[in-house]
Amino acid sequence: EAGVVQSPRYKIIEKKQPVAFWCNPISGHNTLYWYRQNLGQGPELLIRYENEEAVDDSQLPKDRFSAERLKGVDSTLKIQPAELGDSAVYLCASSLVGSPLHFGNGTRLTVT
Amino acid sequence: AQKVTQAQTEISVVEKEDVTLDCVYETRDTTYYLFWYKQPPSGELVFLIRRNSFDEQNEISGRYSWNFQKSTSSFNFTITASQVVDSAVYFCANTGGFKTIFGAGTRLFVKA
């Protein structure tokens, strides 16, 4: 089966610019996650979707971050405007209920 | 509250040595899952094992083994006869109530 697909793989932007990341989960996986991984740290959950509903967005900085999962399949995560501290790897994962998370390769964001 | 602690930041061993990665978790959930993931230099998080809170049986898979002890809230991971290809960052994670929390990771260096 195809894995979780993320794009772009790398993104370099200047601060205050907008940026968007895209994720295509494994077919049939109803749960989709966006994590942020800072250098030398473990992934931290930003938002979790069950189908098209965001069921846990308590860690999403809502003043500048937004996400959507139209039709309960693909998802996009947007940052506007980006700040220097947003530099990190943004990971998308999907799963079935109670099963392990399957991660994509991530998008490495550098904000200059 | 959920918490996963991996006290070892970095471990360096020589090939063929055995190495144990420690993981201590905190949770209020009575039903939960524990995981280990491997993150090689390529960046993708790879699932290694899942245990549920009702199954304390230790598990062995090739050179990998896991020791789950609820009494000490620990889920340690041992690599026997380590190899250079085992060099990676290893993350322990806990899922309770559909929320997965990761530890900070242990970076393992295996030298030839």
Side-chain angles (χ1 to χ4, degrees), chain B residues 17-67:
Chain B
E17 285 185 11
D18 299 346
V19 60
T20 295
L21 310 180
D22 298 333
C23 173
V24 174
Y25 64 93
E26 295 176 29
T27 182
R28 293 179 182 165
D29 295 302
T30 54
T31 301
Y32 54 89
Y33 293 93
L34 298 168
F35 300 84
W36 277 95
Y37 288 84
K38 175 181 180 180
Q39 189 173 43
S42 60
E44 185 174 352
L45 279 151
V46 178
F47 163 74
L48 295 178
I49 188 172
R50 177 184 68 172
R51 306 299 289 174
N52 72 53
S53 50
F54 297 107
D55 184 0
E56 285 191 74
Q57 276 195 333
N58 294 326
E59 184 161 336
I60 297 174
S61 176
R63 297 184 297 107
Y64 295 170
S65 62
W66 292 270
N67 180 264

Side-chain angles (χ1 to χ4, degrees), chain A residues 67-78:
Chain A
E68 60 181 9
R69 190 183 184 195
L70 298 177
K71 301 181 181 178
V73 182
D74 294 1
S75 178
T76 56
L77 177 68
K78 298 178 182 178

Side-chain angles (χ1 to χ4, degrees), chain B:
Chain B
Q2 276 176 284
K3 187 178 180 181
V4 176
T5 301
Q6 294 180 255
Q8 304 149 308
T9 305
E10 289 187 359
I11 300 176
S12 183
V13 300
V14 177
E15 208 170 21
K16 298 185 183 177
E17 285 185 11
D18 299 346
V19 60
T20 295
L21 310 180
D22 298 333
C23 173
V24 174
Y25 64 93
E26 295 176 29
T27 182
R28 293 179 182 165
D29 295 302
T30 54
T31 301
Y32 54 89
Y33 293 93
L34 298 168
F35 300 84
W36 277 95
Y37 288 84
K38 175 181 180 180
Q39 189 173 43
S42 60
E44 185 174 352
L45 279 151
V46 178
F47 163 74
L48 295 178
I49 188 172
R50 177 184 68 172
R51 306 299 289 174
N52 72 53
S53 50
F54 297 107
D55 184 0
E56 285 191 74
Q57 276 195 333
N58 294 326
E59 184 161 336
I60 297 174
S61 176
R63 297 184 297 107
Y64 295 170
S65 62
W66 292 270
N67 180 264
F68 175 24
Q69 292 193 347
K70 286 182 78 171
S71 61
T72 56
S73 297
S74 64
F75 185 44
N76 296 337
F77 172 29
T78 298
I79 302 175
T80 303
S82 60
Q83 300 176 2
V84 173
V85 293
D86 295 327
S87 296
V89 181
Y90 291 85
F91 292 96
C92 180
N94 165 247
T95 297
F98 303 106
K99 188 166 186 174
T100 300
I101 300 296
F102 286 81
T106 297
R107 182 177 296 276
L108 175 65
F109 294 98
V110 182
K111 296 179 285 189

Side-chain angles (χ1 to χ4, degrees), chain A residues 53-112:
Chain A
E53 183 182 358
V55 295
D56 184 355
D57 62 356
S58 56
Q59 302 301 312
L60 189 73
K62 298 181 184 63
D63 57 335
R64 297 183 300 107
F65 285 64
S66 64
E68 60 181 9
R69 190 183 184 195
L70 298 177
K71 301 181 181 178
V73 182
D74 294 1
S75 178
T76 56
L77 177 68
K78 298 178 182 178
I79 308 175
Q80 182 171 12
E83 297 179 352
L84 294 176
D86 296 331
S87 295
V89 176
Y90 291 83
L91 296 163
C92 180
S94 69
S95 73
L96 297 170
V97 175
S99 68
L101 275 61
H102 296 261
F103 284 88
N105 285 323
T107 296
R108 183 176 296 277
L109 174 67
T110 302
V111 182
T112 63

